[in-house]
Amino acid sequence: MTSSATKPRGARARAAIAAKTLRTDRWWLAPLITVIGLGAWVTYATVRVFMHKWYWVEDYHYLTPFYSPCVTDRCIPEASHFGQYLPGWWIIPDAAFTLPFLLLFRLTCYYYRKAYYRSFWLSPPACAVPDGHASYGGETRFPLIVQNSHRYFFYFAMVISLINTWDAILAFHSPEGFGFGLGNLILLGNVIMLWAYTISCHSCRHIIGGRLKNFSKHPVRYRAWGYVSWLNVRHMQLAWITLGTLALADFYVMSVAAGWISDLRFIN
Ligand code: FES
């Protein structure tokens, strides 16, 4: 990722090779898939967030994570588990208190940075392929210095995961009382994956096991650090899995709320 603008002192210049890259494999495939995957997800999420309908299933109390917590005065009152504080203007998302933080949490995530730096900014698109830009300023100046605030967005993400968990618990409902259906499995699966993604965060790993001189005096933190580290090496997979579970949970709730399908009920 080093260019002439940031080349360490004493580093030698790139060999005089005419070809842009000597790689002959399909190095462009991974960035291309990333562009298609992230582009499709962001398009879907944007449409859904500004649709302002089909986010709540009254009979079973299913609430899509894209509208949680629902805080505008346009929200269906039963779907507003934490109150209504904002006017229901079209431009204001119904989950306006959480979506910006979730967006910033993902945007500043170490994995997503790698993904969009490579795929969208071509900086660089792959190993041993030249940067798409003449210079590289790194993350020490505005705007990319904001990436360093990731650890703070992690705390917000923890609170939002708690809210999503609460929504999933409240969804064990039927018109008669307790109920359980396919929607519960989907919402629950989404919450479990969201926790796994959040806890596997690099900032979380540092909070759990960082700033210690030796682990032997902190066995509990060492053990927790081991669990988080196990998840941490799967962070990329969890980043993609949670995009999938979020979209699935939202699409399922939308389909039931719109009356396109009926929820498969195990306990009515
Ligand atoms: Fe990806 Fe923190 S590094 S969520």
Side-chain angles (χ1 to χ4, degrees), residues 106 109 111-112 114 193-194 196-198 200 202 229-245:
R106 297 243 173 189
C109 161
Y111 165 66
Y112 285 113
K114 172 190 162 189
M193 287 296 117
L194 285 180
Y197 169 70
T198 307
S200 70
H202 292 68
S229 298
W230 185 86
L231 281 173
N232 180 257
V233 293
R234 292 156 180 84
H235 194 57
M236 178 184 80
Q237 289 88 336
L238 289 166
W240 281 103
I241 288 169
T242 46
L243 290 187
T245 59

Side-chain angles (χ1 to χ4, degrees), residues 239-261:
W240 281 103
I241 288 169
T242 46
L243 290 187
T245 59
L246 278 166
L248 175 66
D250 177 74
F251 189 76
Y252 189 84
V253 171
M254 173 170 67
S255 302
V256 177
W260 301 336
I261 58 170

Side-chain angles (χ1 to χ4, degrees), residues 84-97:
Q84 300 180 346
Y85 307 95
L86 297 174
W89 299 341
W90 178 83
I91 196 68
I92 299 180
D94 290 310
F97 285 168

